[in-house]
């Protein structure tokens, strides 16, 4: 009904917009290895009648005018380079399409014959050409298209093979059985802190992303054996890129959806300047509703701001500045928790008040020294704070009436980082490319955390600074048109405890024929422990404490991946990967116990474990299958399946399941677009996910009753598996292109079968029973976007 009403609002306008709306498609073609402009390349809209095509100018730029709205494909050719066939480019009336295409020099230069790239039909080739396997590029359109993704890159990536969501309440993702905390976030080449609202220090996710899909360019998601430039990560890497603002035309956006109410603008600073800006502000939708009188228990308040500017420096340089900042707060009162239904966030025995702030800014300069060499240097800074206060709620005997609220804990964490990143890329010839660089992060921190009731216990109280340094070198060598080697070496040094790590990376890719490719890659990866873990104050027998974890080294892993890719047809691709990951030097208890850092995952609370040593191990192995049909003939589908096993050993020597060992994950996505005339269309997108249940620590009811709090049966830790997970989502959308504007309306029916998936269990001292909280039930999410 909501969709029909919104559609009806725009139907009167369709009669005045029967002529087909058009838009400009433009961009730049550069050499992939050197970033030199490719002059004279041919760019053609495939299937256009009459033929719509052009060639690139002296700066590598091209412009196609009068392109009809809808979906188009571009073919780009130039003698001596591999062809590019870019599919599924969405053209809207309300916004120009500005594209950047890197072209790869062909292995053997020919004077008159164009050499076709063997995988030119594959529009899922990663940005990072040093990535051999387990790299999945994605476009901003995918995060908006897939049902259930809510415009969030993390939730969108949970559809890929080898990935599973930690829970519906947060966007942490589990990759091949690894903890979500082992993920590396990178934005425009800068290693950034957790870019999520309510993102606790030491985690990699949160309920709502600060990253705005409207501002992203094509980005990479890597899940193992990644190139040497990525370090301090075990499981996965998000390598995100911000797009440039339109440097010729002012454009505007307004949007309402799950992530909030937002406004944005972009354009040139003047008609004569090629310098551009991009700005966006967003505010919590639920917070706005609460502010105007719609009170909701546990309302999340958050807002974020993103700005980017790009300034060309003569012909060969570009100066860029960007910043992202956000703040969020929420209060959960125990008296508001519905104990009959359970609550994924609240606990009736506690009040929780949290405030988060996070921001990062970067200034970079990129320069092309010659047609073979370019370099980039970036100075950046970030600051994250987390303020937590908790109360114990006491009730009258047998009645849910608050008797007293006593503050039981407080935490104030501040982490600041100043960084310098420098890199140089050099193309020796068509067969060889070298790249290298260094990253230096200076960290300053102030950590305060203590329990206040029933006794005062100081868990952390320290201030200081430390430094993490990384240097790397990478080499790409093409033995032949079919065989390519990617090799690299990276080194890490952590000043806090003088720990070092050296990591070799190696990948081979062999093109079997015009449709099939075989890939093999190995990587030795290392990961620092969360900062809060190093400074946990372990109580000792003298009544004092010690920083027993401060000397912990890197957690390390060997990761080997074998992959096979085949284009079954022009628009259907099959991909199969099998992997084995052996983890070692994992922090575990110094005395026999089940605990390992590998069991830590998506949680708001910091890790409170002392007396840890790097003597634990773990292993992850599995096979993944992806069958994908790219959008063509007005429909697409994506099927991904993962069979895996994830185990670890604590100091007690017993092999246990990690909490993330669901054994299998299956995702099925499909979408259909139905044209409703020349300028409008209806879209239907569907998603189904089923996965094995998580392994948990069972609750000891008797011990919990005696202690009047939750007590776990640690001897049986992670031997008990929850019921399996099932969820299906449906998204229905309508798009209307007018002459100079595009309206998009949608309703995202989250978990529309209202499946009851367990979130967590806890002991309730008031009822003397174990309560179960379930994940998100059925939730309709409206969406509206206007670009003009």
């Amino acid at each position: 009904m909501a969709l029909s009403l919104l559609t009806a609002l725009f139907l009167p306008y369709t009669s005045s917009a029967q002529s087909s709306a058009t838009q400009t498609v433009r961009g730049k073609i550069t050499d992939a290895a050197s970033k030199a402009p490719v002059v004279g390349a041919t760019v053609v809209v495939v299937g256009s009648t009459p033929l719509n095509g052009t060639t690139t100018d002296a700066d590598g730029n091209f412009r196609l005018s009068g392109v009809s709205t809808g979906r188009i494909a571009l073919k780009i050719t130039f003698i001596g380079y591999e062809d590019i066939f870019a599919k599924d480019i969405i053209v809207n009336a309300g916004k120009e399409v500005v594209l950047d295409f890197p072209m790869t020099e062909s292995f053997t230069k020919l004077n008159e014959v164009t050499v076709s790239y063997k995988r030119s039909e594959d529009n899922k080739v990663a940005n990072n050409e040093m990535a051999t396997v387990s790299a999945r590029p994605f476009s901003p359109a995918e995060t908006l298209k897939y049902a259930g993704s809510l415009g969030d890159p993390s939730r969108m990536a949970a559809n890929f093979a080898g990935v599973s969501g930690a829970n519906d309440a947060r966007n942490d993702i589990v990759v091949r059985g690894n903890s979500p905390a082992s993920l590396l976030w990178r934005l425009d080449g800068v290693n950034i802190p957790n870019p999520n609202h309510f993102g606790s220090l030491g985690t990699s996710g949160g309920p709502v992303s600060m990253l705005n899909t409207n501002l992203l360019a094509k980005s990479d998601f890597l899940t193992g054996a990644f190139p040497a430039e990525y370090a301090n990560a075990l499981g996965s890497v998000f390598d995100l890129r911000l797009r440039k603002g339109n440097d010729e035309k002012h454009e505007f956006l307004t949007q309402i959806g799950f992530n909030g109410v937002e406004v944005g603008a972009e354009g040139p600073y003047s008609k004569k300047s090629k310098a551009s800006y991009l700005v966006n502000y967003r505010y919590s939708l639920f917070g706005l509703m609460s502010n105007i009188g719609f009170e909701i228990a546990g309302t999340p308040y958050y807002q974020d701001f993103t700005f980017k500017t790009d300034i060309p420096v003569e012909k060969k340089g570009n100066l860029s500045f960007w910043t992202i900042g956000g703040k969020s707060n929420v209060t959960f009162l125990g008296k508001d928790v519905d104990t009959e239904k359970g609550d994924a966030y609240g606990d009736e025995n506690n009040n929780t008040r949290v405030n988060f702030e996070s921001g990062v800014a970067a200034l970079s300069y990129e320069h092309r020294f010659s047609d073979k060499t370019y370099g980039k240097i970036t100075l950046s800074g970030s600051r994250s704070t987390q303020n937590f206060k908790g109360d114990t709620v006491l009730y009258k005997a047998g009645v849910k009436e608050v008797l007293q609220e006593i503050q039981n804990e407080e935490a104030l964490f501040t982490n600041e980082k100043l960084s310098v990143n420098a890199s140089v890329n050099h193309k020796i010839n068509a067969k060889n490319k070298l790249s290298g660089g260094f990253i230096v992060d200076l960290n300053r921190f102030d950590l305060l955390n203590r329990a206040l009731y029933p006794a005062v216990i100081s868990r952390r109280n320290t201030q200081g600074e430390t430094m993490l340094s990384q240097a790397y070198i990478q080499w790409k060598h093409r033995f032949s048109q079919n065989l390519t080697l990617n090799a690299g070496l990276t080194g890490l040094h952590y000043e806090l405890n003088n720990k070092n790590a050296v990591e070799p990376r190696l990948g081979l890719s062999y093109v079997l024929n015009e449709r099939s490719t075989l890939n093999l890659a190995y990587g030795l990866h290392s990961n620092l422990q969360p900062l809060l873990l190093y400074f946990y104050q372990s109580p000792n027998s003298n009544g004092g404490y010690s920083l027993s974890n401060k000397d912990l080294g890197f957690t390390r892993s060997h990761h080997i991946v074998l992959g096979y890719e085949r284009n079954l047809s022009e628009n259907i691709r099959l991909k199969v990967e099998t992997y084995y990951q052996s983890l070692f030097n994992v922090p575990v208890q110094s005395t026999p116990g089940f605990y390992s850092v590998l069991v830590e995952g998506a949680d708001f609370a910091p890790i409170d474990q002392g007396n840890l040593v790097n003597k634990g191990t773990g292993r992850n192995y599995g096979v993944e299958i992806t069958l994908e049909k790219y959008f063509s003939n007005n429909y697409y589908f994506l099927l991904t399946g993962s069979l895996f096993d994830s185990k670890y050993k604590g100091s007690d020597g017993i092999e246990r399941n990690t909490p993330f060992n669901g054994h299998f994950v299956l995702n099925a996505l499909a979408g259909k677009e139905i044209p409703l005339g020349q300028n409008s269309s209806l879209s239907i997108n569907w998603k189904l996910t089923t996965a094995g249940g998580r392994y948990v620590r069972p609750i000891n009811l008797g011990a919990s009753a005696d202690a009047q709090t939750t007590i776990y049966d640690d001897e049986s830790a992670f031997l008990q598996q929850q019921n399996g997970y099932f969820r299906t989502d449906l998204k229905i959308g309508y798009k209307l292109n007018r002459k100079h504007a595009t309206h998009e309306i949608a309703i995202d029916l989250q978990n529309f079968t209202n499946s009851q998936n367990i979130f967590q269990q806890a002991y309730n001292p008031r009822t003397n029973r174990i309560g179960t909280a379930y994940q998100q039930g059925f939730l309709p999410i409206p969406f509206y976007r206007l670009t003009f």
Side-chain angles (χ1 to χ4, degrees), residues 718-737:
F718 306 114
L719 300 179
Q720 176 181 312
Q721 188 178 22
Q722 291 179 338
N723 294 333
Y725 177 94
F726 177 86
R727 170 172 161 166
T728 185
D729 303 308
L730 182 67
K731 183 177 182 180
I732 303 172
Y734 173 77
K735 179 189 290 188
L736 172 63
N737 277 299

Side-chain angles (χ1 to χ4, degrees), residues 366-527:
E366 188 173 66
H367 188 82
R368 181 164 53 87
F369 298 101
S370 69
D371 286 345
K372 291 184 177 293
T373 307
Y374 72 93
K376 183 178 182 179
I377 185 167
T378 303
L379 304 177
S380 63
S382 64
R383 187 175 192 269
S384 300
T385 64
Q386 174 185 342
N387 189 349
F388 167 87
K389 292 183 179 180
D391 301 331
T392 294
V393 182
L394 303 179
Y395 297 94
K396 292 183 179 181
V399 181
K400 194 173 180 181
E401 181 178 340
V402 176
L403 182 65
Q404 191 176 7
E405 297 176 341
I406 306 172
Q407 187 174 355
N408 59 15
E409 188 159 354
E410 66 176 356
L412 179 58
F413 303 137
T414 301
N415 189 33
E416 300 173 335
K417 184 173 72 171
L418 295 175
S419 302
V420 57
N421 299 36
S423 63
V424 175
N425 295 264
H426 177 67
K427 183 176 77 171
I428 300 173
N429 49 43
K431 293 184 178 181
N432 295 282
K433 175 188 175 181
L434 286 174
S435 65
F438 66 86
I439 302 173
V440 178
D441 295 331
L442 175 64
N443 288 281
R444 301 177 62 182
F445 49 86
D446 187 348
L447 311 174
L448 174 65
N449 178 205
R450 59 179 181 169
L452 302 172
Y453 175 81
V456 177
I457 302 174
S458 178
R459 296 194 175 102
R460 293 167 186 84
N461 188 6
T462 188
Q463 303 85 36
E465 62 183 40
T466 188
M467 185 165 63
L468 175 66
S469 305
Q470 175 195 353
Y472 65 92
I473 187 169
Q474 301 176 124
W475 174 42
K476 184 183 187 74
H477 176 68
R478 303 173 72 185
F479 292 100
S480 68
Q481 186 77 13
N482 294 343
L483 182 61
T484 302
L485 167 73
N486 291 315
L489 185 69
T490 191
L492 291 165
H493 174 74
Y494 194 38
E495 188 180 75
L496 179 70
N497 48 24
N498 204 34
K499 300 296 183 181
N500 300 293
V502 177
E503 307 176 359
R505 312 286 171 83
L506 184 67
L508 284 169
S509 180
Y510 183 68
V511 179
L512 300 172
N513 51 54
E514 291 188 357
R515 289 191 173 190
S516 303
T517 305
L518 189 65
N519 304 304
L520 177 67
Y522 162 79
L524 175 59
H525 303 288
S526 306
N527 195 196

Side-chain angles (χ1 to χ4, degrees), residues 570-639:
E570 180 181 351
N571 294 301
I572 300 178
R573 180 186 66 156
L574 172 69
K575 180 178 180 181
V576 181
E577 288 192 348
T578 183
Y579 64 91
Y580 185 85
Q581 184 181 21
S582 174
L583 298 107
F584 59 101
N585 287 0
V586 180
V588 295
Q589 294 163 291
S590 58
T591 56
F594 81 94
Y595 179 81
S596 167
V597 166
L598 299 182
V599 307
E600 297 290 348
D603 199 353
F604 293 97
I607 304 172
D608 290 338
Q609 283 282 346
N611 301 303
L612 300 179
V613 292
N614 289 102
K615 293 184 178 181
T617 59
R619 60 182 174 89
N620 300 313
Y621 62 90
V623 61
E624 303 162 359
I625 300 176
T626 298
L627 181 64
E628 182 170 14
K629 179 190 180 294
Y630 306 138
F631 191 95
S632 63
N633 299 322
N634 293 323
Y635 77 99
Y636 73 91
F637 64 75
L638 173 64
L639 303 174

Side-chain angles (χ1 to χ4, degrees), residues 269-314:
Y269 288 106
S270 69
K271 293 183 178 180
K272 296 181 180 180
S273 171
K274 296 298 289 183
S276 65
Y277 70 89
L278 184 68
V279 62
N280 187 281
Y281 173 76
R282 182 167 54 185
Y283 190 83
S284 160
L285 175 62
F286 297 106
L288 182 62
M289 291 173 61
S290 181
N291 289 338
I292 60 177
F294 293 92
E295 291 296 331
I296 305 172
T299 298
Y301 293 88
Y302 54 85
Q303 55 186 314
D304 51 62
F305 174 81
T306 304
F307 174 79
K308 185 184 182 188
T309 184
D310 288 275
I311 304 173
V313 180
E314 298 182 339

